[in-house]
Amino acid sequence: MKKPDKSVAYAFKTEGLTRAFSGFRAVNEVSIEIPRGGVRTIIGPNGAGKTTFFNLLSGLFPPTSGRIYFGGIDVTALDPYRRARLGIARSFQITNIFAKLSVYENVRLAVQAVHDGSANFFLPARRMGDLATKTQAILGDIGLLPVAESLAENLSHGDQRRLEIGLVLARDPDVLLLDEPLAGMSPTETHATVELIRRISPGRTIMLVEHDMDVVMSISTSITVMQTGQVLAVGTPDEIRANEAVQRAYLGGLA
Ligand SMILES: Nc1ncnc2c1ncn2[C@@H]1O[C@H](COP(=O)(O)OP(=O)(O)OP(=O)(O)O)[C@@H](O)[C@H]1O
Ligand SMILES: [Mg+2]
């Protein structure tokens, strides 16, 4: 399979990207470039099409029309597994976690699956050592070293969501799509997860959908505002805060 071209300035480029459900265009003719690197956030009111846009980028379902490019490659027709192999990762649901295994074993199996394409428990000691180093590094990044021996099912909601991100990090993806990673989190969990996103963003592109405006404004390199399936504005946090159309349509109470 062709490899993504890292010299291409964008992570994703879409052309006329459209997804209709029974004739209703949830994403409507979106043509944008998401620059490579940084935290690229999408905001917009409920039903604006943010999750549908992510689903199109990750390949969960095909667009009704339009095209998607990733690092110069037309990925429009590729399924999520092929896109994952190109470096596009999406954190899905807690169902990816093995509830009855420890946090450590969950991450170790994810690391091993990526490196060996298998989940064989019996390995030579040296290979085991390589896996352990990578596993420890990810546990450090997601802040779960202190609970590494706990069963995954006994973790708090916030810790489970961070573990989920850890399983995705095992692939060392170039682009990570996070749809409302802070949903349902306590303030402490929110803080820890924002720190996690900051820690893992160097060297990759993080795409984020988030409603918490304090977080969005503090963490984002750029913000894309969606409304009724279309892009209303793109800019830095300061530009978006100052944008009158955005104020009217969405941010109303923010300033
Ligand atoms: N599988 C589907 N079948 C039918 N309609 C859908 C489907 N998925 C999304 N929609 C519709 O498309 C529109 C956009 O939904 P989407 O979930 O992308 O919005 P969103 O911006 O993520 O909203 P939220 O902030 O509430 O998560 C909504 O009107 C939604 O009802
Ligand atoms: Mg959504």
Side-chain angles (χ1 to χ4, degrees):
M1 192 158 57
K2 217 177 135 189
K3 287 261 173 261
D5 179 352
K6 304 236 174 185
S7 68
V8 173
Y10 62 84
F12 283 109
K13 179 168 78 168
T14 68
E15 288 174 358
L17 195 64
T18 299
R19 172 69 199 202
F21 298 107
S22 327
F24 170 77
R25 289 174 165 225
V27 170
N28 190 5
E29 294 281 343
V30 170
S31 301
I32 56 171
E33 288 188 8
I34 309 285
R36 181 184 295 284
V39 178
R40 309 291 171 179
T41 307
I42 300 180
I43 64 171
N46 293 329
K50 306 179 297 293
T51 296
T52 305
F53 187 61
F54 265 29
N55 289 339
L56 292 170
L57 295 182
S58 64
L60 190 66
F61 44 63
T64 306
S65 58
R67 309 223 68 87
I68 304 168
Y69 299 89
F70 175 71
I73 300 175
D74 186 340
V75 298
T76 315
L78 298 185
D79 64 32
Y81 305 100
R82 291 210 175 77
R83 290 191 208 191
R85 271 192 263 143
L86 291 177
I88 303 168
R90 162 142 196 202
S91 152
F92 273 103
Q93 241 99 59
I94 283 167
T95 47
N96 293 335
I97 295 174
F98 293 107
K100 299 288 181 194
L101 291 183
S102 72
V103 170
Y104 184 91
E105 287 300 306
N106 265 279
V107 175
R108 208 260 293 166
L109 284 174
V111 169
Q112 191 175 334
V114 169
H115 284 244
D116 301 0
S118 78
N120 183 356
F121 274 98
F122 304 101
L123 287 174
R126 191 181 55 77
R127 286 286 298 119
M128 214 57 181
D130 293 345
L131 294 177
T133 305
K134 180 106 197 269
T135 302
Q136 296 277 348
I138 291 175
L139 287 169
D141 276 343
I142 59 178
L144 295 187
L145 274 173
V147 292
E149 298 310 321
S150 305
L151 291 187
E153 67 182 359
N154 292 335
L155 295 182
S156 68
H157 171 72
D159 283 351
Q160 286 195 353
R161 295 220 61 178
R162 277 192 296 283
L163 175 55
E164 202 186 313
I165 294 173
L167 300 184
V168 174
L169 285 178
R171 286 193 166 276
D172 200 13
D174 292 324
V175 175
L176 184 53
L177 298 155
L178 300 171
D179 191 355
E180 299 194 37
L182 310 176
M185 286 192 179
S186 68
T188 311
E189 290 174 337
T190 296
H191 178 76
T193 306
V194 168
E195 288 310 305
L196 160 61
I197 293 170
R198 283 192 211 282
R199 251 194 322 275
I200 64 176
S201 63
R204 46 172 67 98
T205 311
I206 308 284
M207 292 193 63
L208 183 67
V209 169
E210 188 44 54
H211 285 288
D212 182 328
M213 278 308 139
D214 290 340
V215 169
V216 168
M217 291 299 171
S218 76
I219 204 176
S220 304
T221 311
S222 68
I223 299 173
T224 300
V225 185
M226 287 187 72
Q227 190 191 20
T228 60
Q230 297 193 299
V231 172
L232 181 66
V234 182
T236 63
D238 284 344
E239 287 165 351
I240 293 300
R241 223 191 306 254
N243 184 305
E244 283 186 21
V246 175
Q247 289 281 344
R248 271 197 305 279
Y250 179 51
L251 291 178
L254 183 82

